[in-house]
Amino acid sequence: MNPVRSYRIPFLLLLLLLVAAFLLNTGLGSVAIPLKDTFNAILGRAVEEESWRYIIWNYRLPKAFTAILVGSGLSLSGLLMQTLFRNPLAGPFVLGISSGASLGVALLIMGSGLISGWVGSLLINDVTLALAASAGSFLVLLAVIGVAARIKDTMALLIIGLMFGSVTTAIVTVLSYFSNAEKLRQYIFWSYGSLGNLSWPQLGLLGLILLVGTGLSVLSIKPLNALLLGEHYARSMGTSLQRSRYIIIGATGLLAGAITAFAGPVAFIGLAVPHLTRQIFDTTDHKVLVPAVILYGAILLLLCDTLAQVPSSSYVLPINAITSVIGAPVVIWLLVRKRKMIF
């Protein structure tokens, strides 16, 4: 029997919640748009105010789809890392990928301060920031994969990934110390994370990269299930640990690296959603967990973004503040109530 079918009702509820969270996210904001007109604008029907259609299609829909992609991608990469390292505190950025992206952006923003005049200002835009973050995360990912080829101990790889993150963070700290106030402010605002800066072409590129990462994750379902019982058991089941590690690390690099490049370092989601999902589905089978965390992560980030918009107000709070302040107490409450460790 397909294990997903035994959880038909929870999956159906998650799908309904996803649709509801999507409509709520696109309907609320600084301009109040009735739910009926939001629905009509999405379907291309007539709306009461034509400006509402422009707002929805050029601002709210891209942001809502970005929240879905970012939430699902970070949640999936967090699940991969927690299973690979068999560590409940592992997250999508544990290998230093986020720190590498931050280093790339810091070098671009603070390094451009050394170039006087309009040339330095032209260097900083959404495209160059994404390219710098991608380059930084990719270089760190290559370094981690190179180390993974030399060592067999998975926990040693975890420690090395943390060390890569510490080194890149230290370099960013030095750059920040010598940077002027304006450039430092630009970097800090990028580090808050943002879901509202992507155009439709950028959204399509992000979706394509995440599709490849998700495909690699699906191919890793069987090795992931075997790794839950330990590396010796996985080997006895015929699993190639080295090959599986490459695929899992590569998938995480694509997911977390692309998201950090386009949306900044969004916190909490990748660490918490796998735990929340296990509390609901009460299983360790990745045939269930992989689609479940994708849905759960998308719903949670949509709801967090809705709160961050401060409905009927012009204020937009940093998404990182909402994800951590709202989500962390929920995880603590669930884990204390269940009184069950995941690993």
Side-chain angles (χ1 to χ4, degrees):
M1 181 179 177
N2 188 341
V4 176
R5 290 184 179 178
S6 61
Y7 291 96
R8 286 192 300 266
I9 294 178
F11 273 115
L12 180 60
L13 289 175
L14 285 179
L15 285 171
L16 292 175
L17 281 174
L18 178 61
V19 173
F22 179 81
L23 292 175
L24 184 67
N25 185 268
T26 52
L28 295 179
S30 58
V31 177
I33 301 177
L35 183 60
K36 178 182 177 182
D37 289 290
T38 300
F39 195 69
N40 287 336
I42 294 173
L43 295 179
R45 298 173 181 170
V47 294
E48 185 176 336
E49 296 283 345
E50 195 60 31
S51 60
W52 291 349
R53 188 192 309 277
Y54 181 84
I55 292 172
I56 289 173
W57 275 95
N58 290 277
Y59 294 99
R60 295 190 182 177
L61 278 180
K63 186 158 63 64
F65 281 117
T66 301
I68 290 174
L69 292 176
V70 171
S72 59
L74 288 178
S75 302
L76 180 55
S77 57
L79 175 67
L80 295 178
M81 290 294 95
Q82 289 176 11
T83 302
L84 176 63
F85 296 115
R86 301 185 69 236
N87 188 330
L89 296 179
F93 304 132
V94 73
L95 295 178
I97 295 170
S98 175
S99 299
S102 299
L103 177 59
V105 171
L107 287 172
L108 175 66
I109 293 178
M110 300 175 196
S112 66
L114 302 176
I115 304 175
S116 60
W118 57 273
V119 177
S121 300
L122 285 178
L123 287 175
I124 303 176
N125 54 61
D126 291 340
V127 175
T128 56
L129 285 175
L131 289 174
S134 299
S137 59
F138 183 69
L139 289 175
V140 172
L141 178 63
L142 284 180
V144 172
I145 291 177
V147 171
R150 292 177 173 270
I151 63 174
K152 296 182 179 180
D153 187 1
T154 302
M155 292 309 298
L157 180 61
L158 172 61
I159 296 171
I160 290 171
L162 292 173
M163 293 304 102
F164 275 123
S166 297
V167 171
T168 53
T169 301
I171 297 173
V172 171
T173 302
V174 173
L175 289 171
S176 302
Y177 182 80
F178 289 102
S179 178
N180 60 50
E182 180 185 353
K183 297 300 180 184
L184 185 58
R185 184 171 180 270
Q186 283 182 288
Y187 174 76
I188 290 174
F189 270 97
W190 175 85
S191 69
Y192 288 159
S194 176
L195 303 176
N197 295 329
L198 297 190
S199 62
W200 284 110
Q202 290 174 318
L203 194 58
L205 178 58
L206 175 60
L208 181 62
I209 297 172
L210 297 190
L211 182 62
V212 175
T214 303
L216 292 174
S217 304
V218 172
L219 291 175
S220 303
I221 285 178
K222 186 176 179 180
L224 288 168
N225 283 337
L227 285 170
L228 286 174
L229 298 175
E231 294 185 357
H232 293 296
Y233 176 82
R235 285 195 188 95
S236 69
M237 293 294 293
T239 302
S240 173
L241 292 182
Q242 197 76 348
R243 179 174 174 271
S244 298
R245 280 202 295 179
Y246 285 150
I247 295 175
I248 293 170
I249 291 172
T252 302
L254 286 173
L255 294 168
I259 287 170
T260 306
F262 283 98
V266 178
F268 173 78
I269 297 294
L271 175 63
V273 169
H275 294 298
L276 294 171
T277 304
R278 292 187 188 97
Q279 301 296 326
I280 291 177
F281 286 86
D282 196 24
T283 182
T284 57
D285 190 346
H286 285 77
K287 290 181 181 179
V288 175
L289 290 178
V290 167
V293 297
I294 289 174
L295 290 172
Y296 207 138
I299 294 167
L300 186 59
L301 196 55
L302 277 172
L303 294 177
C304 288
D305 182 58
T306 302
L307 292 174
Q309 294 177 63
V310 189
S312 301
S313 170
S314 60
Y315 292 102
V316 179
L317 299 176
I319 189 64
N320 277 339
I322 301 299
T323 55
S324 299
V325 169
I326 300 297
V330 174
V331 175
I332 293 172
W333 177 75
L334 281 173
L335 292 177
V336 170
R337 186 173 65 89
K338 296 284 283 191
R339 295 183 181 178
K340 180 178 70 174
M341 292 300 294
I342 303 304
F343 296 99

